[in-house]
Amino acid sequence: MSEIFEARDWDAAGRIGRLSVPRSGVTVETPTIMPVVNPHIQTIPPRELAERFGAEILITNSYILHGSDELHDEALSRGLHDLLDFPGAIMTDSGSFQLSEYGEIDVTSEEILAFQREIGSDIATPVDIPTAPDTEREAAEIELGTTQERLEAAAEFDSGETLVSAPVQGSTYPDLREAAGEHATGTGLDVFPIGAVVPLMNEYRYGEMVDVVAAAKRGLGPAAPVHLFGAGHPMMFALAVAAGCDLFDSAAYAIYARDGRYLTVRGTEHLEELDYFPCSCPVCAEYTPAEVQNGETERLLTEHNLYVTFAEIRRIKAAIREGNLLELVESRARGHPAILDGYRALLAHSEQLEHTDPASKSTFFYLSGESASRPEVRRHHRRLERLSVPDSLLLAGGPTDGAVETEEVWTVRPPFGPVPPELSETYPANAELPDRLDGEAYAAAARGVARLAEANPDCEVALATAGWPDAALAALPGSIELV
Ligand code: GUN
Ligand code: ZN
């Protein structure tokens, strides 16, 4: 596993990675989206996905090929790459989705793995059992047991150069997801899709989706390449990447286009309701909504959907490189309430994010109350406990003119709290803050002050608090002198 995936730049649990795909001899840069290609219907030919949109990897369904009178033998004789005419890597799914939709499929996990190897798939998938959200616990455990047996059998299977994925199930039970993640990496398989999240995303339950991902990640560990099965709406990519997902796949670009829906990073629009295109892709630059409606509607919408999808992936990679991925997630959270839910759920896992979040990034931008819960704030608060303090200390949370005499004066910067002079120019305390701060910023600063005071009971701490809201003041320990 670790030999085929290398993570380089980190931000929160997000990273830019390189996935080496031995069968095709290519390297795929992550995070990325694998467009879903239906072998029977291709609005955009796979070669164009690569050459025009930059797709390095796509995903198709081996079960459809296996059951196709027309394509089964051709896939075996020509191989998948030639059949689809795609120059990059190709992942294949196994029919598990059909299993969850129709209750049964007519191949075993071994048979479909062998077929995937024979048609030259780069990443094959065993038949896992996608256990729906909210399934009764006992049923979820039984189904997870079956999935795990199949992963163990897949690990014994001779796949040649074809990598094999190990889907992580466990429904909406975090402990099952975590155990499933740990078991999956334990098999030694190669790529780790988090499964059965499509129903959560269809119902806009992004908070729970993040909890599922966070739980699976705890089990998988940071070295595993993680695929979020069936996730393809560009509004959620930044959130999912920050939670630690590397690969996405989706038919959304094509399915949405088929019924007149136009993807944006803030949600979905209906073409007939658009008077203007809020996008600068080649389609939107050349046509008006009315022209698209009266022309080759599906083809043009599919193209636009792909352009925004890949643009968001590039924006995310740039954000990771620059160290402002959480600022990007925060702006996506401001675009759609379901993503805000997801972002709040993500920040509830700040401790987990902190493990991979770099100590220094580009300037921290305080953009909303959520910024006060970022992992950097948590880390600063813990750091406060380890700083050495004088016998008396004035914390300048506001103007201090004529205030008490103390040995040292430290500034207080919401949401971090006390900042000693030697840290004031370094990340994250050198943050950009708005002049008009919210209650969360002061509350987090008060937690920092309390943390420092409690770790140093012998230090006399005074705090200048002009302008602080009552709720933040109420959270301070009584030992602190307010001036
Ligand atoms: N496609 C969407 N969800 C899933 C899943 O849970 N398992 C598999 N194999 N494919 C999927
Ligand atoms: Zn566009």
Side-chain angles (χ1 to χ4, degrees):
M1 173 187 73
S2 46
E3 308 94 70
I4 62 151
F5 185 66
E6 184 195 353
R8 291 181 166 180
D9 307 273
W10 289 82
D11 197 346
R15 57 276 182 92
I16 295 179
R18 291 166 67 81
L19 180 70
S20 307
V21 182
R23 207 210 134 278
S24 283
V26 299
T27 300
V28 172
E29 188 177 70
T30 63
T32 197
I33 168 101
M34 306 183 277
V36 173
V37 168
N38 180 328
H40 291 289
I41 327 163
Q42 294 158 22
T43 320
I44 312 273
R47 182 159 291 278
E48 205 175 324
L49 290 173
E51 290 173 358
R52 184 142 155 240
F53 297 95
E56 294 180 42
I57 178 168
L58 59 76
I59 183 166
T60 191
N61 197 316
S62 66
Y63 182 70
I64 294 178
L65 288 168
H66 186 268
S68 163
D69 294 336
E70 197 187 328
L71 296 176
H72 177 108
D73 293 350
E74 222 184 317
L76 285 170
S77 60
R78 290 171 60 188
L80 204 47
H81 293 73
D82 185 58
L83 181 74
L84 296 179
D85 187 26
F86 185 68
I90 301 180
M91 178 173 179
T92 43
D93 201 352
S94 57
S96 292
F97 196 67
Q98 284 72 11
L99 174 69
S100 66
E101 292 280 295
Y102 311 116
E104 58 178 343
I105 53 173
D106 61 4
V107 289
T108 65
S109 193
E110 272 70 22
E111 283 164 356
I112 200 71
L113 278 175
F115 181 70
Q116 291 172 82
R117 179 192 60 201
E118 295 314 313
I119 62 178
S121 171
D122 288 295
I123 307 173
T125 305
V127 181
D128 55 309
I129 314 281
T131 308
D134 315 313
T135 298
E136 215 183 303
R137 167 124 196 156
E138 206 185 317
E141 284 176 9
I142 292 168
E143 292 187 1
L144 178 56
T146 305
T147 293
Q148 292 179 333
E149 283 166 19
R150 297 197 181 154
L151 300 193
E152 285 160 26
E156 296 298 315
F157 175 77
D158 176 11
S159 67
E161 283 194 308
T162 297
L163 301 174
V164 178
S165 78
V168 174
Q169 299 291 346
S171 185
T172 23
Y173 300 99
D175 61 321
L176 293 188
R177 289 283 186 174
E178 182 173 345
E182 205 174 322
H183 172 271
T185 39
T187 60
L189 290 171
D190 305 297
V191 174
F192 301 90
I194 298 175
V197 289
V198 170
L200 291 176
M201 294 185 292
N202 286 345
E203 293 169 22
Y204 288 88
R205 293 162 66 183
Y206 285 100
E208 287 157 278
M209 184 212 73
V210 165
D211 289 339
V212 161
V213 171
K217 290 282 297 185
R218 285 194 293 279
L220 289 166
V226 176
H227 167 198
L228 193 61
F229 247 138
H233 200 301
M235 76 172 176
M236 54 78 70
F237 290 164
L239 173 67
V241 168
C245 299
D246 306 295
L247 292 162
F248 301 94
D249 74 88
S250 184
Y253 72 97
I255 294 170
Y256 282 52
R258 214 165 294 149
D259 43 68
R261 285 181 291 171
Y262 176 97
L263 297 178
T264 83
V265 293
R266 302 163 60 89
T268 310
E269 306 283 353
H270 288 270
L271 176 64
E272 72 265 24
E273 287 164 16
L274 285 178
D275 293 320
Y276 306 96
F277 280 141
C279 170
S280 52
C281 83
V283 173
C284 297
E286 185 171 342
Y287 301 94
T288 65
E291 284 164 352
V292 171
Q293 220 169 344
N294 298 321
E296 272 190 275
T297 310
E298 183 180 340
R299 160 95 198 181
L300 293 171
L301 276 181
T302 304
E303 288 182 14
H304 157 82
N305 288 347
L306 281 167
Y307 279 121
V308 277
T309 295
F310 280 100
E312 182 69 352
I313 293 289
R314 291 192 297 275
R315 197 176 287 120
I316 289 167
K317 289 196 284 197
I320 295 174
R321 225 0 107 61
E322 287 167 26
N324 52 28
L325 180 62
L326 291 177
E327 280 83 353
L328 178 61
V329 178
E330 201 146 327
S331 62
R332 294 295 170 255
R334 293 273 123 23
H336 198 294
I339 304 299
L340 178 56
D341 244 343
Y343 186 41
R344 287 180 174 159
L346 181 70
L347 292 172
H349 298 288
S350 262
E351 183 183 354
Q352 193 176 329
L353 300 180
E354 226 195 290
H355 295 143
T356 49
D357 192 50
S360 183
K361 308 189 216 172
S362 69
T363 311
F364 181 113
F365 277 19
Y366 189 94
L367 297 172
S368 73
E370 278 72 39
S371 301
S373 302
R374 281 177 50 169
E376 294 93 333
V377 177
R378 224 191 108 81
R379 182 183 292 134
H380 183 80
H381 286 174
R382 274 195 300 107
R383 190 172 187 175
L384 286 171
E385 292 184 343
R386 305 191 305 269
L387 295 175
S388 57
V389 294
D391 290 340
S392 63
L393 177 63
L394 174 60
L395 299 176
T400 59
D401 27 287
V404 289
E405 281 283 303
T406 53
E407 278 174 62
E408 283 181 28
V409 180
W410 294 6
T411 55
V412 178
R413 298 214 80 196
F416 304 101
V419 178
E422 69 272 18
L423 294 182
S424 69
E425 297 306 318
T426 63
Y427 192 86
N430 59 349
E432 290 281 349
L433 313 173
D435 290 336
R436 293 156 188 78
L437 284 168
D438 48 47
E440 280 87 348
Y442 287 107
R447 286 196 294 279
V449 171
R451 200 82 177 249
L452 182 75
E454 278 154 12
N456 299 283
D458 299 332
C459 172
E460 280 179 33
V461 179
L463 174 65
T465 57
W468 282 44
D470 292 342
L473 296 176
L476 294 167
S479 62
I480 294 176
E481 183 191 350
L482 300 184
V483 294

